[in-house]
Amino acid sequence: MRYLVFIGGLLILFSTAVQAETMYVSDLAEITLRTGQGIDHKIIAMIKSGQKVEVLEPADQWTRIRLPSGKEGWVVSRFLTSKLPSRIELNKLKEKHAALLALADSPYNEISKLKNANQKLKAELAVSGKTLNALKTSYETLQSKSANLLKLQANSKNSAARLSEQQKEVERLEEELSELERRQYLHWFLSGAAVLFVGFLMGYSTKRQRRRSSFL
């Protein structure tokens, strides 16, 4: 009796394990999910190829399954497979291949990005170099102009000082000239007065001599 109970338990466990098996719809466009075993039962859903389903009750002709949406029904057993359909497997392989290609291309993409960044930096460096040279030239020109300006300012100060000295010298010479002119004028005036006075004396003396001669 105990042996029969043990066997029954094993069968129940085995049946549960089979019922929990995951299978896939084979490479067909679509298959029908029906309310019972047979094509005379009502269609409750259409299942696309590659759809994952949960097997509840396997059988030779019809198998009861559950969809991810929760719907349960019967499908033809030969349309189910434990392997991924080749189309789904191919799509997965394509995705893996694309991922590998992208992974393989990533170093080249990084190198290309680095090259572009390097070229951009070189261009910016060239522009910065030109700007720096222009600034240096402007600074040197300004420095030269500043030196010339300081020199001109010094020359201007020297010229102003010399001009002031020359102006003072001119004023001194003008004063000396005025003094000389005054003295010359006075000299001429005195000389003229002396000549007139001498002339007057000579005339007076001559006149007296004439008077004396007339008396004789």
Side-chain angles (χ1 to χ4, degrees), residues 19 21-25 30-35 43-57 63-76 79-80:
Q19 289 176 4
E21 181 182 2
T22 298
M23 301 189 77
Y24 301 90
V25 176
E30 285 183 331
I31 63 172
T32 57
L33 179 67
R34 297 180 182 271
T35 56
I43 297 174
I44 56 176
M46 299 297 295
I47 310 174
K48 293 183 179 180
S49 175
Q51 174 67 61
K52 184 187 292 187
V53 297
E54 181 183 354
V55 175
L56 301 177
E57 222 180 291
T63 298
R64 191 165 69 89
I65 63 169
R66 180 186 293 129
L67 298 178
S69 63
K71 284 185 179 181
E72 296 181 5
W74 296 84
V75 295
V76 179
F79 294 155
L80 298 178

Side-chain angles (χ1 to χ4, degrees), residues 116-133:
N116 292 334
N118 189 31
Q119 290 178 355
K120 186 177 180 180
L121 286 175
K122 283 183 178 179
E124 291 177 354
L125 182 61
V127 173
S128 299
K130 290 181 180 179
T131 304
L132 180 60
N133 290 333

Side-chain angles (χ1 to χ4, degrees), residues 84-213:
L84 275 174
S86 57
R87 183 175 61 83
I88 304 298
E89 189 69 27
L90 179 60
N91 290 335
K92 286 192 173 184
L93 289 175
K94 286 181 178 180
E95 291 176 0
K96 288 182 179 180
H97 182 257
L100 289 173
L101 287 177
L103 185 62
D105 289 339
S106 60
Y108 298 101
N109 293 333
E110 289 297 326
I111 292 173
S112 178
K113 288 180 181 178
L114 289 174
K115 284 183 177 179
N116 292 334
N118 189 31
Q119 290 178 355
K120 186 177 180 180
L121 286 175
K122 283 183 178 179
E124 291 177 354
L125 182 61
V127 173
S128 299
K130 290 181 180 179
T131 304
L132 180 60
N133 290 333
L135 288 174
K136 284 183 178 179
T137 303
S138 298
Y139 174 74
E140 290 172 356
T141 303
L142 180 62
Q143 201 172 27
S144 176
K145 288 182 178 179
S146 298
N148 292 333
L149 180 60
L150 292 174
K151 187 175 179 180
L152 288 173
Q153 288 177 347
N155 292 336
S156 178
K157 288 181 179 179
N158 294 332
S159 298
R162 288 196 299 269
L163 181 61
S164 178
E165 291 177 358
Q166 290 174 357
Q167 185 68 28
K168 290 179 181 179
E169 183 67 16
V170 168
E171 290 176 357
R172 187 182 64 80
L173 291 175
E174 286 181 350
E175 289 178 359
E176 290 183 359
L177 181 60
S178 296
E179 183 65 21
L180 288 175
E181 287 179 350
R182 187 179 65 79
R183 290 179 181 180
Q184 186 69 29
Y185 177 77
L186 182 59
H187 176 71
W188 287 345
F189 176 76
L190 292 176
S191 297
V195 169
L196 290 174
F197 183 70
V198 171
F200 175 75
L201 290 177
M202 291 179 65
Y204 181 75
S205 176
T206 303
K207 188 175 181 180
R208 288 185 64 184
Q209 288 179 1
R210 287 179 180 176
R211 284 181 179 179
R212 288 179 182 176
S213 298

